[in-house]
Amino acid sequence: QSGVQFVFETLPTVERLTPTVMVSGFGTGSTVTVVGRQFLARDDLSCRLGSTEVVKAVRRSVSELSCLFPARLSGNNTVEISNDGHHFSSNGRMVNIVQHLSLDRVEPNRTRTTGDTLVTVWGRGFSRSPYTKCQLSGQTVSGTVLDNMKMLCH
């Protein structure tokens, strides 16, 4: 007997993320809450976004933690969790980080309250998504992104 001990641990698993869409470009970044299993109370508890961006995780419980990702990131990325900073989960969930939006112009700038007017919005940072929505006078309506500078609200 050599006296060398090995510890085998189950890798953490990721069940869901909140939110699944975040906006980049704000201050220090965006926080995502991760719900899963086997999140251990360790100094090396980590979150990985995509294949390279690793940040320290804050453990809330054995099944919940939060990760603050830098503001410069964007696109669809998988979030994986590690208890030791080296061995990561392999069943991560996707988060879509979209650019900060800016609005330049809306036409027409007045409409009837019946909601049957097509509104065109010009700006920067629009990205296509099946979840695109517009909020007009407190009403949420569907939206269609034509390109990164123009969208329609119906």
Side-chain angles (χ1 to χ4, degrees), residues 14 18 35 38 74 89 120 127 133 136:
V14 179
T18 305
V35 175
Q38 299 295 331
S74 65
S89 58
T120 304
S127 61
K133 303 285 183 201
L136 306 170

Side-chain angles (χ1 to χ4, degrees), residues 45-134:
L45 185 62
S46 308
C47 304
R48 184 176 67 200
L49 184 68
S51 60
T52 58
E53 190 70 40
V54 178
V55 298
K56 184 172 178 59
V58 176
R59 185 177 182 259
R60 306 288 181 211
S61 71
V62 70
S63 62
E64 184 177 303
L65 54 83
S66 61
C67 312
L68 176 62
F69 292 113
R72 69 181 183 277
L73 302 173
S74 65
N76 286 312
N77 294 277
T78 303
V79 174
E80 301 285 3
I81 304 303
S82 172
N83 287 317
D84 63 8
H86 299 287
H87 302 94
F88 285 85
S89 58
S90 59
N91 72 320
R93 299 292 183 259
M94 295 294 288
V95 63
N96 184 13
I97 303 174
V98 296
Q99 294 178 350
H100 172 71
L101 303 178
S102 67
L103 302 181
D104 297 330
R105 189 170 86 226
V106 176
E107 288 184 10
N109 59 7
R110 292 178 184 226
T111 66
R112 295 187 302 258
T113 58
T114 58
D116 58 355
T117 303
L118 184 65
V119 175
T120 304
V121 180
W122 285 269
R124 288 176 191 60
F126 302 146
S127 61
R128 288 185 175 95
S129 166
Y131 309 108
T132 301
K133 303 285 183 201
C134 303

